[in-house]
Amino acid sequence: MKVILLGPPGAGKGTHAKRLEPILHVPHIASGDLFRDIRREDSDFAREVRGYMDRGEYVPDAATIKMVLQRLAEPDAADGFLLDGFPRTVPQAQALDAALTSEGRRIDCALSLAVPDDVLVARIADRVICPQCHAIYNLKSKPPRLEAVCDVCGHALERRTDEEPDVIRKRVQAFVDQTKPVVEHYRKKGILVEINGDRPIPVVEADVDRAFGIRVER
Ligand code: AMP
């Protein structure tokens, strides 16, 4: 199954993708995680990526498309993927469509999680991540078992460098200006599923599972 997760920063895309990964047996591929790995390198491109990310701006399309399409060409993505954070612009969506079409493949479902702006800012303020395995925690709703240590791999948890309130607002605005048209792109294709992400986690999960035909005893 080939799935795209759309939604503003803090909507829960990564958290849902991590839960769905072992259920759907496809890799969770997050463009933000790929960029967080690249930004740690010592190269001109890494320095450019750090600049865009820390200002809350999108990395230019050409570099982003090349990076994600390379990742999608790896063997583990041959039977499907959960793509989180890409495409974020209409040219990215068109490039993805073209690449898949050339292989006789297509996106099965674009899942859009909607959450009001003020809720996003509060949620992101409580978020910490593992730089090693990319696990995501929320200090209020999903805290790690040991303070500041990843449950999955034991690495020290961090706050993201792009989660100061001013930068968060810029990232939310980038979503409104550049990614909302991508939601419309998939609506026109008839594969958009919209879910209200501003409800208790089990309620949202139940809707997400229904969208994928997953049966879970709750
Ligand atoms: P995320 O973890 O998805 O919130 O992404 C973190 C940052 O990585 C974004 O604010 C952008 O600077 C960059 N980024 C991630 N995905 C994309 C994308 N599809 N297009 C452009 N920039 C991206």
Side-chain angles (χ1 to χ4, degrees), residues 99-170:
L100 292 175
T101 304
S102 73
E103 299 163 355
R105 307 200 294 165
R106 60 178 174 77
I107 299 296
D108 298 298
C109 172
L111 189 79
S112 166
L113 291 166
V115 176
D117 295 1
D118 51 333
V119 177
L120 296 171
V121 177
R123 271 195 200 177
I124 293 176
D126 291 322
R127 176 154 73 179
V128 286
I129 59 160
C130 175
Q132 184 73 32
C133 75
H134 304 302
I136 306 163
Y137 300 88
N138 181 292
L139 296 176
K140 289 208 182 101
S141 61
K142 192 189 165 216
R145 282 195 297 272
L146 291 176
E147 201 185 320
V149 177
C150 180
D151 293 353
V152 182
C153 73
H155 199 281
L157 298 176
E158 290 178 354
R159 281 191 186 274
R160 286 172 43 165
T161 52
D162 57 351
E163 302 209 316
E164 295 299 322
D166 281 359
V167 180
I168 295 171
R169 273 187 279 275
K170 276 185 74 178

Side-chain angles (χ1 to χ4, degrees), residues 174-209:
F175 173 82
V176 172
D177 295 341
Q178 297 182 72
T179 309
K180 283 220 165 143
V182 177
V183 176
E184 295 314 311
H185 175 87
Y186 290 109
R187 191 195 308 280
K188 278 192 209 128
K189 286 186 170 288
I191 56 168
L192 184 73
V193 175
E194 288 178 284
I195 290 181
N196 172 4
D198 185 24
R199 295 171 299 162
I201 292 170
V203 181
V204 180
E205 285 181 350
D207 273 2
V208 170
D209 288 350

Side-chain angles (χ1 to χ4, degrees), residues 31-32 35-36 53 57-59 64 85 88 92 160 171:
S31 47
F35 280 131
R36 273 183 285 282
M53 290 180 90
E57 294 168 12
Y58 286 175
V59 178
T64 304
R88 258 178 159 102
Q92 291 178 17
R160 286 172 43 165
R171 289 168 53 212

